[in-house]
Amino acid sequence: MTIRLLVLDIDGTIAGKSNTVSQSVKDAIKLAQTQGIQVALATGRMYYSALRFHGLIASELPIIAYNGAWIQCPLTGIRHHHFPVSPDIALQLLDYFEQPHWLKKLEVHCYIDDRLYVREFTARTEVYRKRSGIEPIVVEDLRSIVALETTKVLAIGKSQLMGKLLSDLRQRYSRDQLYVTQSTPIYFEATHPNANKGFGVKFLAEELLQLTSDQVMAIGDNFNDLEMLQYVGLGIAMGDAPKEVKQVAKWVAPDVEFDGVAKAIHKFLLS
């Protein structure tokens, strides 16, 4: 079937080291839009942090933020979905990260009401602040605020620790209790079980646009893109994606620094 919706991840897909969208990618997206193909963003980023990219690609659709936990349209202000983590599970996660063998190895972020809370401001926090454009709020004990609606819990640590972290928490929580994934080799993310990009793209396609999955193309680069790439008719992985992500894709594009999204658009949508 003809592709009518293109869904794009941000980091590692349309935005690389420069933290912006190249002219080549913007031009390709614009050409697709002139052919009647709508374009949307699906990202692990906060909604506020994704807004700049929504403007850069001239999207008219809601943003799928926080891996699908928050879906909101910047043009209308309507928030279609918000799936916060259960307060009990959020507290359990923070207790888990406070254990001595994790405490000094992980930096923990909590996202509440589209604001970022951290337990301390570190060099990594500064890198995150610059890339996201978000000013973190320091709260020494994050457990004191998780009674509020926590959209996402993020842990940052060395890449060799992420496998153990994922394994431990997948044993503790079933898939219908908590969704856990990686958005980069050093970012562990935990959200409500309904919150994944596959759900978000299905919502945009089927409920808002009355499309079928065969009419959707999506491009992503990491584990948090898996469900999205599995749902759509045409899933594209970036060249530096993990092998598990490449295996579910129909095609592998060059990586973000070589404008892989532009090449995928020209190959599948403009040829």
Side-chain angles (χ1 to χ4, degrees):
M1 296 183 72
T2 303
I3 298 297
R4 307 310 307 161
L5 171 63
L6 171 63
V7 184
L8 302 168
D9 170 51
I10 295 178
D11 293 290
T13 300
I14 62 169
K17 294 176 183 176
S18 66
N19 197 29
T20 191
V21 183
S22 74
Q23 192 61 49
S24 176
V25 171
K26 285 192 287 188
D27 288 346
I29 291 170
K30 186 174 181 179
L31 283 171
Q33 289 167 324
T34 62
Q35 294 195 11
I37 298 167
Q38 298 203 61
V39 182
L41 295 173
T43 178
R45 285 192 184 222
M46 304 167 66
Y47 172 75
Y48 181 82
S49 180
L51 283 173
R52 175 168 64 90
F53 295 91
H54 188 270
L56 286 173
I57 67 169
S59 174
E60 296 181 351
L61 293 176
I63 295 171
I64 301 168
Y66 296 101
N67 294 325
W70 185 303
I71 302 175
Q72 183 168 340
C73 182
L75 304 184
T76 65
I78 294 172
R79 188 169 71 181
H80 297 275
H81 285 291
H82 181 220
F83 300 114
V85 179
S86 152
D88 289 342
I89 290 180
L91 183 58
Q92 291 166 20
L93 283 173
L94 294 176
D95 283 339
Y96 175 86
F97 294 137
E98 290 287 328
Q99 294 177 97
H101 63 283
W102 287 122
L103 186 59
K104 298 300 182 183
K105 296 177 181 177
L106 298 173
E107 296 177 26
V108 180
H109 294 182
C110 278
Y111 300 84
I112 297 171
D113 195 26
D114 210 31
R115 294 182 175 89
L116 168 60
Y117 295 84
V118 300
R119 60 188 178 191
E120 59 180 332
F121 198 100
T122 67
R124 274 185 177 155
T125 310
E126 174 62 11
V127 170
Y128 187 96
R129 184 192 70 80
K130 286 182 177 179
R131 188 163 181 90
S132 67
I134 301 298
E135 290 296 333
I137 301 165
V138 178
V139 176
E140 188 172 338
D141 188 352
L142 294 171
R143 293 171 294 185
S144 66
I145 60 171
V146 293
L148 302 171
E149 288 192 334
T150 304
T151 305
K152 184 175 78 172
V153 179
L154 171 75
I156 307 173
K158 292 181 179 179
S159 58
Q160 56 265 38
L161 298 176
M162 292 298 107
K164 177 170 173 51
L165 194 56
L166 282 163
S167 176
D168 283 358
L169 290 169
R170 281 175 175 158
Q171 289 179 30
R172 286 172 178 253
Y173 299 103
S174 66
R175 182 62 183 79
D176 61 1
Q177 290 178 299
L178 190 70
Y179 173 68
V180 296
T181 189
Q182 281 179 264
S183 58
T184 79
I186 64 169
Y187 282 9
F188 164 88
E189 309 204 10
T191 53
H192 186 280
N194 285 352
N196 66 73
K197 293 186 184 183
F199 165 83
V201 175
K202 182 176 182 179
F203 169 76
L204 286 190
E206 298 182 17
E207 296 192 37
L208 287 189
L209 301 175
Q210 286 74 54
L211 301 175
T212 64
S213 61
D214 288 345
Q215 295 173 289
V216 186
M217 173 174 160
I219 311 178
D221 77 305
N222 224 300
F223 290 107
N224 62 328
D225 297 306
L226 273 170
E227 290 86 357
M228 172 174 76
L229 298 183
Q230 289 168 332
Y231 166 74
V232 301
L234 182 54
I236 308 295
M238 300 298 285
D240 52 356
K243 64 179 181 180
E244 295 90 341
V245 178
K246 291 179 180 177
Q247 285 170 352
V248 306
K250 298 291 195 303
W251 190 68
V252 176
D255 70 31
V256 64
E257 303 304 334
F258 293 93
D259 292 334
V261 166
K263 290 178 173 62
I265 290 173
H266 280 281
K267 179 177 177 64
F268 292 102
L269 303 181
L270 304 176
S271 59

